[in-house]
């Protein structure tokens, strides 16, 4: 019981989602329409992608990629560039969460071995920003993208037209940050982190599954084919992968689906939310994300607007700002708090300042762009 309560305390968003679902269930008693609330395509795709990415991560594929790139660095600027840009680009394929889980501890080890612990805070802050904004560039980069891409039945052209200018601007801002950082020559130490033996057969199998997942996102591969196939292959290749799937995230989605579905059947509340959100999707997405994080914000606000592009942009930019604006940001903070507890205050200060600066620049770009 104690362990369960401790787990629930760590899953605040999940608890809030289900409390809201249960409260609104009093106003809208459960009936046959509840089944239509749940977006099974989004849930199935999330499960499949998390399982496949978990398999690749357990093979140490991304760690090996980072180590290989580090071997080619000779200055502290190059070192920081590799550590920051890796999560930016990798998150586009494996989600911001997986990118940070992989590369933040990797960065902490490298910087410690290199005697550059004074760079830990700015590097991890920028890794977090890079992962959150890099992940916006693809439909599979983060959960809110996957959901909104499916919910609004977007095509790739309109999706990329919405997000790529801002992902590109973020890349420019990251480059500017790296250019103004002091640099010196450096001999990068060997990184000796534990990496499991690489199985070519497993990597190939996960690669095929990932390609099928991309087909699933495009709705070219039916979900009833994809999910059982992923489950069977993962069970055969490495059943431990299934223990690392974020089932709490899936349950959170279900809770918010029920909550938003019920709200949509209460005319007075529907009219109120629509009047507040419509025409202000970007700003509403940014503001709501600061309070409840961008994934719940996407789920909540999508029930009251047809402007999927505006909401997509809002909740992705809204991942900047507070520590909970993107739940992935908590991953980095936990690593800092565990490894360098004396740097927590400094980290929060720099995190907030840099996030606000990036958000301000990108919102200014939004105002300027047609």
């Amino acid at each position: 019981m104690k362990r369960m309560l401790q787990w629930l305390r760590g899953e605040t968003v999940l608890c809030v989602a289900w409390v809201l679902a249960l409260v609104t269930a009093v106003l809208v008693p459960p009936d046959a329409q509840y089944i239509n609330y749940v977006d099974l395509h989004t849930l199935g795709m999330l499960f499949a992608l998390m399982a496949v990415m978990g398999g690749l991560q357990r093979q140490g594929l991304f760690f090996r990629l980072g180590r290989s790139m580090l071997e080619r660095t000779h200055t502290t600027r190059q070192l920081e560039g590799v550590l920051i840009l890796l999560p930016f680009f990798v998150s586009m394929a494996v989600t911001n969460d997986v990118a940070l889980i992989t590369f933040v501890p990797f960065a902490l080890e490298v910087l410690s071995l290199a005697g550059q612990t004074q760079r830990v805070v700015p590097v991890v802050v920028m890794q977090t920003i890079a992962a959150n904004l890099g992940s916006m560039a693809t439909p599979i980069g983060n959960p809110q993208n996957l959901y909104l891409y499916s919910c609004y039945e977007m095509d790739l052209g309109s999706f990329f037209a919405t997000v790529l200018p801002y992902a590109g601007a973020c890349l420019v801002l990251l480059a500017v940050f790296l250019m103004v950082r002091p640099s010196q020559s450096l001999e990068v130490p060997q990184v000796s982190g534990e990496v499991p033996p690489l199985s070519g057969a497993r990597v190939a199998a996960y690669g095929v599954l990932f390609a099928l997942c991309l087909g699933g996102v495009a709705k070219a591969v039916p979900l009833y084919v994809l999910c059982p196939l992923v489950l069977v292959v993962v069970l055969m290749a490495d059943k431990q992968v299934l223990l690392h799937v974020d089932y709490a995230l899936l349950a959170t989605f279900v809770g918010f689906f029920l909550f938003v579905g019920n709200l949509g059947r209460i005319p007075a509340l529907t009219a109120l939310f629509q009047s507040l959100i419509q025409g202000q999707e970007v700003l509403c997405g940014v503001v709501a994300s600061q309070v409840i994080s961008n994934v719940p914000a996407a789920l909540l606000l999508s029930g009251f607007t047809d402007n999927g592009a505006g909401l997509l942009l809002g909740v992705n930019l809204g991942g900047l700002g507070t520590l909970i604006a993107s739940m992935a940001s908590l991953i980095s903070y936990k690593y800092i708090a565990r490894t360098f507890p004396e740097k927590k205050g400094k980290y929060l200060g720099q995190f907030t300042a840099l996030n606000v600066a990036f958000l301000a620049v990108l919102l200014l770009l939004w105002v300027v762009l047609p």
Side-chain angles (χ1 to χ4, degrees), residues 43-58:
L43 293 178
M45 286 307 310
L46 276 173
F47 168 78
L49 283 166
M50 286 191 289
V52 172
M53 289 304 107
L56 289 171
Q57 188 178 23
R58 279 177 58 81

Side-chain angles (χ1 to χ4, degrees), residues 215-290:
V217 172
K219 298 188 177 179
V221 178
L223 201 63
Y224 61 81
V225 172
L226 177 63
C227 286
L229 183 61
V230 168
L231 183 60
V232 169
V233 172
V234 169
L235 283 172
M236 293 175 61
D238 182 4
K239 60 185 178 182
Q240 293 296 314
V241 167
L242 295 177
L243 298 177
H244 298 276
V245 171
D246 190 350
Y247 297 105
L249 177 62
L250 298 177
T252 300
F253 266 72
V254 174
F256 273 109
F257 283 145
L258 296 176
F259 171 57
V260 173
N262 284 335
L263 284 183
R265 294 171 64 185
I266 304 173
L269 290 178
T270 299
L272 174 62
F273 276 99
Q274 287 177 340
S275 67
L276 293 173
I277 296 167
Q278 289 183 359
Q280 302 294 332
E281 287 82 3
V282 173
L283 292 178
C284 285
V286 170
V287 172
S289 297
Q290 305 309 305

Side-chain angles (χ1 to χ4, degrees), residues 53-125:
M53 289 304 107
L56 289 171
Q57 188 178 23
R58 279 177 58 81
Q59 286 295 300
L61 188 66
F62 310 124
F63 189 92
R64 286 182 169 88
L65 170 65
R67 187 167 60 185
S68 174
M69 294 185 68
L70 278 179
E71 291 172 355
R72 296 166 173 77
T73 63
H74 305 288
T75 67
T76 54
R77 178 174 293 131
Q78 291 175 345
L79 173 64
E80 290 185 346
V82 168
L83 294 176
I84 291 169
L85 294 179
L86 270 172
F88 179 80
F89 289 107
V90 172
S91 66
M92 297 178 188
V94 306
T95 76
N96 49 352
D97 300 70
V98 172
L100 291 173
I101 289 170
T102 302
F103 293 117
V104 168
F106 179 71
L108 295 179
E109 181 179 2
V110 169
L111 292 171
S112 296
L113 290 174
Q116 298 290 325
T117 55
Q118 75 277 12
R119 298 176 184 267
V120 160
V121 169
V123 166
V124 175
V125 167

Side-chain angles (χ1 to χ4, degrees), residues 293-368:
S293 148
N294 53 5
V295 173
L299 295 170
L300 174 61
L301 301 181
S302 64
F304 307 101
T305 178
D306 294 325
N307 183 1
L311 184 55
L312 174 70
L313 181 59
V315 295
N316 274 291
L317 297 186
L320 297 169
T322 64
L323 190 62
I324 64 167
S326 169
M327 297 305 288
S329 299
L330 291 173
I331 295 171
S332 304
Y333 176 72
K334 288 177 180 177
Y335 277 117
I336 288 290
R338 185 187 311 149
T339 311
F340 295 97
E342 73 281 3
K343 296 182 183 290
K344 288 191 297 183
K346 183 178 180 181
Y347 180 86
L348 287 173
Q350 291 195 23
F351 177 91
T352 302
L354 286 167
N355 268 263
V356 169
F358 268 67
L359 179 58
V361 172
L362 294 176
L363 283 177
L364 180 61
L365 179 62
W366 168 66
V367 171
V368 172

Side-chain angles (χ1 to χ4, degrees), residues 42 168 228:
T42 296

